[in-house]
Amino acid sequence: MIWDALILGAGAAGMMAAIEAGRRGRRVLVIDHAKAPGEKIRISGGGRCNFTNLGISPERFLSQNPRFAVSALKRFTQWDFIARMDAAGIAWHEKTLGQLFCDGSATQVVQMLVRDMERAGVTLWLDCALGDVRRVGDRFEVDTAQGAQRARSVVVATGGKSIPKMGATGYGYRVAEAFGLPLVETRPALVPLTFADHELAWMRPLAGVALPARVACGRTGFDEAVLFTHRGLSGPAVLQVSSYWREGEAIHVDLLPDREVAAELRAARGKVALRTVLGRWLPERLARHLEEAAGVTGTMAELSGAVLDRVAAGIRNWRLVPVGSEGYRTAEVTLGGVDTAALDGRTMAAKAVPGLYFVGEVVDVTGWLGGYNFQWAWSSGWAAGQDL
């Protein structure tokens, strides 16, 4: 049998492409080496799936070509996916910063997608290893654990390298290279940052401390939570900035972005310690560390204005230099991937290889934390599905 389309990967983007192609009457086979479809969907958002964001816009996606994602994101929007959730009767709610989550389990989203594939006549093979992809005449042939499969089109939706314990591999990149498509260097993104031993010596006692802050790298900054860990820094603000950070660069943390710290410290005179004043605004353990790091002793009344200004400057612009990240093991997504210069932004097709498509995380399009990467999966999968 020759299929109209082989979809390699039963994740968010692959299932979306399959649904759209199936609805258009195509004979579609989806193959995944995992034992269940949509595993990243299932574990995302603490098991409730942060399935999109109300604030989807192209500037919140990283790529060597920041305009590449525009077409797909505009043609299948967050509102379109929300409509599908509503039609399926899946209740959802908005959390902070436009993030949308299921009220119940993320498995509802997986079930909706699988049901839509079934209704569209899509065939799904799970626990089936994938091998080489090659051209045979005007068709493609894909080696699988169930034998070679032929199709008019192939959609690579195998994701990136993030969270290898879920089965992530570099398979999609190898397929791209086999057909001569260029790759943008890949690296872990939306990932906790790690620090050298001399930094960890004071960070470890703060493990578990969390607070709202602003974390910046270069001109890009995020106002969200920061979490101290035994390995360094995590929390949404740090995960966000990790996509922009490079080895050797510093990050800058503003622990009190909404306060006039210098003025308030000068006003807080009296026979109290600096840590006591800082403890009104910051977690106690962090307040104590900042006092020790500043080398301050005595009461507020004994501290000069210059000392207080120095303390305030350190709080508002705390410079830290990470040595690395926790890597793909905990990264939520992979930065880089198949170079968008080789793809058609409207269809996700490889320009030089008719019938070959790349969608989702395998492409050099990486969204912010908060539902952006799922929306890219829905939008890019939808776009490919219209062309199969």
Side-chain angles (χ1 to χ4, degrees), residues 44 48-57 61 73 76-83 85 92-102 109 368-379:
S44 69
R48 292 186 183 271
C49 188
N50 180 191
F51 59 87
T52 193
N53 194 293
L54 296 178
I56 298 294
S57 57
F61 292 83
L73 292 172
F76 188 86
T77 70
Q78 64 270 42
W79 308 109
D80 293 315
F81 194 79
I82 291 168
M85 295 283 285
W92 53 270
H93 60 278
E94 179 184 355
K95 293 183 78 172
T96 58
L97 303 174
Q99 300 169 19
L100 302 189
F101 289 78
C102 298
V109 180
W368 285 5
L369 183 73
Y372 293 90
N373 289 294
F374 272 127
Q375 186 58 48
W376 170 243
W378 314 134
S379 297

Side-chain angles (χ1 to χ4, degrees), residues 12-29:
M15 287 193 284
M16 196 69 178
I19 290 164
E20 294 307 304
R23 287 176 174 175
R24 297 176 58 246
R26 305 300 187 261
R27 291 173 298 175
V28 181
L29 171 62

Side-chain angles (χ1 to χ4, degrees), residues 7 9-11 30-37 124-130:
I7 314 290
V30 178
I31 307 176
D32 200 301
H33 68 277
K35 294 183 179 180
L124 174 62
W125 288 357
L126 296 170
D127 199 14
C128 181
L130 290 164

